[in-house]
Amino acid sequence: MGDSPVTDPKVAAAVAVAEAAGPASGETVRIDSWIWAVRLIKTRSLGAAACRGGHVHVNGERVKPAHSVRVGDEVRVRHEGRERIVVVKRLIRKRVGAPVAAQCYIDNSPPPPPREAAAPAGLRDRGTGRPTKRDRRELERLLGLGEPGSHPRGR
């Protein structure tokens, strides 16, 4: 098992199975395969494309998809507008569930940006019918599209 306290016995068993299916001592794992296996990227081909595009760094260096990753390496993945910074704890080849994947790395990523708290403008309740001219003007005022009293066609 190792140094991390795994409390759930199901997660502990899954980690053991993932390590058994992983590389033997002395063998290595490709970076595109590892970031897919620990669920940082949705597909392995996306992982390879991210490496080719320069979005994956290992210990500060841009890497190719076939780069070998080792325990203790710092991996930076920029994906979907967010940068993930992780330190490799375990090498696995097969994709595992999220609780098991979390046991394979130490996450040093900055927190994700907060989601928009405001309700999206323009959504109406079901059954209220078509918006009236008054509703449309109120919506435009909220969105800041037109100045009060101005007509969109310049009349």
Side-chain angles (χ1 to χ4, degrees):
M1 272 306 223
D3 52 331
S4 71
V6 179
T7 54
D8 190 1
K10 288 182 182 177
V11 173
V15 168
V17 169
E19 283 189 325
S25 61
E27 289 185 43
T28 59
V29 178
R30 290 170 54 114
I31 186 65
D32 61 342
S33 179
W34 187 82
I35 62 177
W36 165 76
V38 298
R39 298 180 164 267
L40 295 177
I41 300 276
K42 286 184 182 176
T43 65
R44 178 156 173 216
S45 60
L46 274 178
C51 291
R52 284 192 299 273
H55 301 293
V56 179
H57 292 72
V58 176
N59 297 328
E61 299 281 324
R62 281 178 58 174
V63 292
K64 293 181 178 179
H67 182 83
S68 297
V69 68
R70 295 177 189 81
V71 175
D73 284 350
E74 181 192 63
V75 178
R76 289 174 176 258
V77 180
R78 202 168 62 245
H79 182 62
E80 294 179 351
R82 182 172 177 219
E83 186 173 36
R84 299 287 307 267
I85 304 167
V86 297
V87 177
V88 180
K89 267 174 49 177
R90 291 190 174 90
L91 296 178
I92 59 171
R93 280 207 177 109
K94 290 190 173 180
R95 191 164 170 98
V96 292
V100 182
Q103 301 296 321
C104 297
Y105 59 83
I106 302 166
D107 197 353
N108 295 332
S109 305
R115 293 193 173 187
E116 293 297 320
L123 290 182
R124 297 172 48 83
D125 294 330
R126 284 185 65 89
T128 57
R130 187 172 170 183
T132 63
K133 186 183 266 190
R134 181 179 182 184
D135 293 337
R136 179 182 54 80
R137 288 187 175 152
E138 184 71 17
L139 183 62
E140 286 178 355
R141 187 184 61 77
L142 283 171
L143 293 175
L145 293 178
E147 281 143 30
S150 70
H151 193 272
R153 294 193 191 119
R155 292 184 188 152

